[in-house]
Amino acid sequence: MARWQPGTRERLQQVSLELFGERGFDAVTVAEIAQRAQVTERTFYRYFADKREVLFDGQDTLVHAFVAGVGEAPAGLSPLELAAAALDRAADFFADERRSWSRARQSVIENDPALQERELLKLAALSAALSCALQERGVSNQRAGLAADLAVSVFRISFVRWIAAGEQQSMRELQRDVLETLQALTSS
Amino acid sequence: MARWQPGTRERLQQVSLELFGERGFDAVTVAEIAQRAQVTERTFYRYFADKREVLFDGQDTLVHAFVAGVGEAPAGLSPLELAAAALDRAADFFADERRSWSRARQSVIENDPALQERELLKLAALSAALSCALQERGVSNQRAGLAADLAVSVFRISFVRWIAAGEQQSMRELQRDVLETLQALTSS
DNA sequence: GTCTATAGTGCGATAGAC
DNA sequence: GTCTATCGCACTATAGAC
């Protein structure tokens, strides 16, 4: 008999999302999560830095996608075109099967300010990484910061639409649409 | 002898910024702040919802300025011009005398992720309020969200420049400059 | 794996302002 | 008297230290 089951991390994440969905983030204690996942409280904190972090694991793969999108884009693109390439690349993460899971997760986040704070920090980190990648492609500091913020804004607004009830369009389509709106907005 | 001195709130804010600056946000306890301000820990929490909030009091006046800037702008402006009006209006808050205080505060925030999270939440609230104000001026939901994010991004980037060592330009000038850069970025 | 500091909450008591 | 600021204390949960 194994002393511990494999997949502890995944179990903790799944159990957390379930409990948060049922009673809200605040009303659930780490002790409860640990108990349901058959580990001790201490083990939870071995995997996740704090209680909120359990919902934000795996964000670095998204960051990598954005950065890779910029790094692999052809030469001669404008900052905005580089940002668009990053968005296109990141869209792969949002397959249709993930929609309902994303919806559940986002609904939990929207109901707790502490989780919103953490999400915003992750998006800020994404923007910072993207800005860095753009600067490596020769974009000036200020332009890179602006373009990165722009891309993250497009991403966030598209994501909200993507998980809206009844939405059929893919993340890639939505992002392109929002980006077009953005360009129309600033050219007028 | 009065049981309590007037200006408790201001005293708590001042003492907090001092202590955070000396030893960092995390190394200072609410008990210490309260003691130095001659009140009990419980009183601190009467004024501020949590330990971080003591550094973010008065942000709503900034939000009001942005919203007022949109509300009072002349008719017929584009979403981006409305956003520019809001930025111009908000610039009044950043008089030269406040530069060193802003610098001290920002330095504390930059050294603690928890404070960065709170700052991002406040900026998100600003964006949401701005988006709302834009929609009341007839801008569509999606355009309003984008324009609001844009304005907040311009604000944030300008603010960083405004508190940079040796910077002489006013917040208004910096914001206009960044906004120009933004337009150049999206029109190409 | 236990022990502890600290954040943050709930509620009743109290002192002064009006 | 009422109202409001403050206190005091008991309590839970997070999170980090040993």
Side-chain angles (χ1 to χ4, degrees):
Chain A
M1 184 64 190
R3 180 122 142 256
W4 39 264
Q5 312 278 324
T8 302
R9 173 182 291 268
E10 290 71 21
R11 225 169 341 117
L12 283 168
Q13 291 174 320
Q14 195 194 319
V15 164
S16 295
L17 186 57
E18 276 172 25
L19 287 173
F20 294 161
E22 288 167 18
R23 310 208 302 274
F25 178 75
D26 236 43
V28 177
T29 68
V30 174
E32 277 178 288
I33 297 168
Q35 194 184 3
R36 258 221 218 176
Q38 313 262 33
V39 294
T40 66
E41 215 171 321
R42 190 70 184 72
T43 301
F44 179 93
Y45 286 108
R46 274 179 45 79
Y47 286 99
F48 308 105
D50 59 55
K51 186 182 164 189
R52 285 175 283 168
E53 200 63 18
V54 70
L55 284 176
F56 294 92
D57 196 58
Q59 297 277 301
D60 16 337
T61 55
L62 184 65
V63 174
H64 285 322
F66 269 90
V67 170
V70 172
E72 295 165 10
L77 294 189
S78 73
L80 207 62
E81 286 167 333
L82 286 169
L87 285 165
D88 249 29
R89 175 70 178 269
D92 295 337
F93 277 88
F94 302 88
D96 265 9
E97 314 89 75
R98 294 191 53 183
R99 246 189 253 233
S100 75
W101 180 85
S102 289
R103 242 192 291 266
R105 178 176 168 283
Q106 205 63 13
S107 146
V108 169
I109 293 173
E110 271 165 16
N111 281 301
D112 192 285
L115 292 172
Q116 288 161 38
E117 288 189 338
R118 178 56 52 86
E119 189 180 40
L120 291 166
L121 189 70
K122 297 290 180 178
L123 289 174
L126 174 58
S127 176
L130 195 48
S131 172
C132 231
L134 288 169
Q135 285 178 66
E136 277 175 15
R137 293 293 302 256
V139 181
S140 76
N141 185 299
Q142 180 161 300
R143 279 163 188 269
L146 279 166
D149 276 5
L150 234 77
V152 171
S153 178
V154 168
F155 168 74
R156 210 175 39 74
I157 289 173
S158 303
F159 182 75
V160 169
R161 282 184 59 183
W162 187 66
I163 60 171
E167 178 60 55
Q168 295 294 318
Q169 288 184 87
S170 71
M171 187 66 173
R172 174 169 285 117
E173 290 168 327
L174 290 166
Q175 283 183 158
R176 287 184 177 165
D177 181 57
V178 175
L179 198 55
E180 260 179 46
T181 305
L182 173 70
Q183 283 181 296
L185 200 65
T186 46
S187 66
S188 67
Chain B
M1 180 67 186
R3 177 141 165 243
W4 35 268
Q5 312 278 324
T8 302
R9 170 183 230 97
E10 290 71 21
R11 229 175 329 125
L12 284 169
Q13 290 174 322
Q14 194 194 318
V15 164
S16 295
L17 186 56
E18 275 171 26
L19 288 172
F20 294 160
E22 289 166 17
R23 308 208 306 273
F25 178 76
D26 237 42
V28 177
T29 67
V30 174
E32 278 178 287
I33 298 168
Q35 195 183 3
R36 260 221 218 176
Q38 312 263 34
V39 293
T40 65
E41 212 172 324
R42 201 68 190 80
T43 299
F44 179 94
Y45 287 109
R46 274 185 48 79
Y47 285 99
F48 309 106
D50 59 56
K51 186 181 164 188
R52 287 174 280 168
E53 199 64 16
V54 70
L55 284 176
F56 294 92
D57 197 58
Q59 297 278 300
D60 13 337
T61 55
L62 184 65
V63 173
H64 284 323
F66 269 90
V67 170
V70 171
E72 294 164 11
L77 294 188
S78 73
L80 207 62
E81 287 168 331
L82 287 170
L87 286 165
D88 249 28
R89 175 69 179 267
D92 296 335
F93 277 89
F94 301 89
D96 265 9
E97 315 88 73
R98 294 191 52 182
R99 247 190 253 232
S100 75
W101 180 85
S102 288
R103 243 193 290 267
R105 178 176 168 281
Q106 205 62 14
S107 146
V108 169
I109 293 174
E110 270 165 16
N111 281 301
D112 193 284
L115 291 172
Q116 288 161 38
E117 288 188 339
R118 179 55 52 86
E119 189 180 41
L120 290 165
L121 191 69
K122 296 291 179 179
L123 289 174
L126 173 58
S127 175
L130 195 48
S131 171
C132 232
L134 288 168
Q135 285 177 67
E136 277 175 16
R137 293 293 302 254
V139 181
S140 76
N141 185 299
Q142 180 161 298
R143 279 162 188 268
L146 279 167
D149 277 5
L150 236 79
V152 171
S153 178
V154 168
F155 168 75
R156 211 175 39 75
I157 289 174
S158 304
F159 181 76
V160 170
R161 281 184 60 185
W162 187 67
I163 59 171
E167 178 61 54
Q168 294 295 317
Q169 289 184 87
S170 71
M171 187 65 173
R172 175 169 285 116
E173 288 168 328
L174 289 166
Q175 283 183 160
R176 286 184 178 165
D177 181 58
V178 175
L179 198 54
E180 261 178 45
T181 305
L182 174 71
Q183 282 181 298
L185 199 67
T186 45
S187 66
S188 67

